[in-house]
Amino acid sequence: MRAAVIGSGAWGTAFAKVLGDAGSEVTMWARRESVAAEIRDQHGNEGSLPGIRLSKLITATTDLAEAVDEAEMIAIAVPSQTLRGNLADWAGFFPADATVISLMKGIELGTLKRMSEVIVETARVAAERVVVVSGPNLAPEIAADQPTATVVACTDEDRARQVQHALATPYFRPYTSDDVLGCELGGAVKNVIALAYGMASAIGLGDNTKASLITRGLAETSRLGVALGADPLTFAGLAGLGDLVASCSSRLSRNRTFGEHLGRGESLEQAQAATRQTAEGVKSCLSIRDLARAHSVEMPIVEQVEKVCHEGADPRVAVKLLMTREMKPE
Ligand SMILES: NC(=O)c1ccc[n+]([C@@H]2O[C@H](COP(=O)([O-])OP(=O)(O)OC[C@H]3O[C@@H](n4cnc5c(N)ncnc54)[C@H](O)[C@@H]3O)[C@@H](O)[C@H]2O)c1
Ligand SMILES: O=P(O)(O)OC[C@H](O)CO
């Protein structure tokens, strides 16, 4: 198949590699000509994925129209909060029948929309043409051909199966799902829980604390998902528990790393200066908190992460507040 990948950061690059290794012809879009030229001429992207070699069949351009020309699949991996503005410029170039694949894990500030909803609304693409790919998918590990699994979610089962086949490689095993909402929420909320995990880690808290954070983090993710109409079983799967465990336990996770900076007492600005790539949970903790409040769902960990990130709260005080909440059954 012919595929375009928009966004040449860590995940866009690793995903292009998967598509290429699975047999598609891939054109990537990069913002900077230096990145496009490096992918095209040197088959690498040192700034985002040091040491990774890409197939010579993967090419890149800074011209969006050229990137998506005749594409049957268009995968998007840009920061969640820029997507709406990006699509306003880009959507006119998308071929009418192309499948649009969302790789992003965030909730839009203000509108509280999921990325697939932003795509449907802004690119005027029917919901059944939008596929979400989400799971325990740390880009550097995938780019190094380390085996993992993922979920390909779409309301159109045939389209999900088509993308599943277009992504299958010996190191990347996709499963299909029709629970687009659950998969997207799992991916967005785990970033916030990974921030909390990073903070706990930096404070020096132990494995019981971390296991409690993962488990109760998953409980609040599922609570929000069920309130919004997701399948509760999705949260026990790759796009729920799988992704949560990967991000919390890995030093490769940008969200966990960002949380560690905050846990060491750095301010939001200091943590931002120390980390370069996208840590979606930092902004999505605000939108997820607002989404939960709008649906009267309690998300105490998300609430505390927001306070540490944006209100200057001390992570140690956040832990104390979580531990002294009203007693209740599990
Ligand atoms: N890195 C991973 O392991 C991973 C895995 C799964 C999902 N994701 C998700 O994929 C999305 C992208 O993450 P990433 O890891 O590729 O981030 P990244 O920071 O490595 O790359 C982001 C890309 O977006 C581009 N970009 C930045 N601002 C932009 C703007 N205003 N307009 C257009 N493009 C802009 C950057 O140039 C870069 O190419 C996020 O939602 C993330 O949660 C990441
Ligand atoms: O590096 P993070 O924290 O953005 O996590 C990357 C992926 O979402 C893991 O599945």
Side-chain angles (χ1 to χ4, degrees):
M1 291 180 84
R2 194 168 163 68
V5 176
I6 304 183
S8 298
W11 190 210
T13 304
F15 197 78
K17 180 178 182 305
V18 171
L19 282 166
D21 289 349
S24 284
E25 245 179 81
V26 187
T27 304
M28 297 173 67
W29 174 86
R31 276 199 304 176
R32 284 181 287 138
E33 176 51 32
S34 58
V35 174
E38 190 189 349
I39 293 169
R40 233 176 17 237
D41 305 333
Q42 291 160 45
H43 315 293
N45 183 351
E46 285 299 304
S48 292
L49 289 174
I52 293 306
R53 291 294 88 201
L54 297 169
S55 145
K56 291 188 177 149
L57 298 175
I58 297 175
T59 187
T61 174
T62 53
D63 180 341
L64 195 281
E66 184 189 329
V68 300
D69 187 38
E70 294 186 23
E72 295 158 274
M73 294 179 287
I74 301 172
I76 311 179
V78 295
S80 298
Q81 307 305 332
T82 75
L83 178 67
R84 185 178 292 273
N86 294 142
L87 285 174
D89 299 333
W90 297 338
F93 298 108
F94 288 8
D97 299 330
T99 296
V100 181
I101 304 174
S102 171
L103 299 178
M104 292 145 295
K105 295 178 176 174
I107 300 291
E108 192 175 41
L109 292 167
T111 66
L112 312 186
K113 297 211 163 150
R114 292 173 282 114
M115 294 300 103
S116 67
E117 294 178 301
V118 174
I119 291 169
V120 166
E121 208 174 282
T122 318
R124 297 207 175 78
V125 172
E128 55 275 17
R129 267 178 57 202
V130 181
V131 169
V132 166
V133 174
S134 195
N137 296 157
L138 293 150
E141 290 189 1
I142 292 171
D145 293 359
Q146 291 195 20
T148 191
T150 200
V151 183
V152 174
C154 185
T155 52
D156 175 348
E157 276 178 46
D158 289 341
R159 200 174 290 265
R161 272 196 292 273
Q162 212 175 50
V163 174
Q164 177 184 40
H165 286 285
L167 293 178
T169 74
Y171 60 87
F172 199 68
R173 179 171 170 79
Y175 291 81
T176 57
S177 164
D178 61 3
D179 188 12
V180 174
L181 165 62
C183 288
E184 283 186 294
L185 276 184
V189 182
K190 71 84 186 167
N191 285 332
V192 182
I193 307 302
L195 284 167
Y197 190 103
M199 292 174 204
S201 213
I203 293 173
L205 299 175
D207 293 332
N208 292 334
T209 314
K210 291 171 181 168
S212 301
L213 265 178
I214 289 180
T215 315
R216 294 311 301 165
L218 190 63
E220 62 186 69
T221 310
S222 312
R223 211 153 50 221
L224 178 64
V226 168
L228 295 176
D231 178 348
L233 282 178
T234 298
F235 301 105
L238 292 161
L241 181 63
D243 202 3
L244 183 59
V245 169
S247 299
C248 288
S249 55
S250 176
R251 293 193 181 280
L252 295 174
S253 162
R254 284 90 42 92
N255 286 284
R256 173 183 151 160
T257 304
F258 200 102
E260 285 170 352
H261 283 279
L262 295 173
R264 287 197 285 271
E266 293 176 23
S267 66
L268 185 69
E269 293 70 28
Q270 286 169 325
Q272 272 161 345
T275 55
R276 278 179 46 246
Q277 292 175 316
T278 312
E280 292 278 20
V282 177
K283 287 185 179 154
S284 284
C285 64
L286 286 156
S287 42
I288 293 166
R289 177 204 61 184
D290 291 349
L291 189 59
R293 286 183 182 173
H295 292 270
S296 305
V297 173
E298 271 192 289
M299 297 192 81
I301 302 173
V302 170
E303 292 265 351
Q304 291 304 324
V305 169
E306 186 283 326
K307 283 191 166 50
V308 174
C309 286
H310 300 288
E311 299 178 35
D314 182 337
R316 287 179 180 77
V317 175
V319 173
K320 202 168 185 179
L321 289 171
L322 283 171
M323 292 305 290
T324 52
R325 294 173 64 244
E326 178 200 351
M327 298 289 135
K328 50 182 66 174
E330 186 180 27

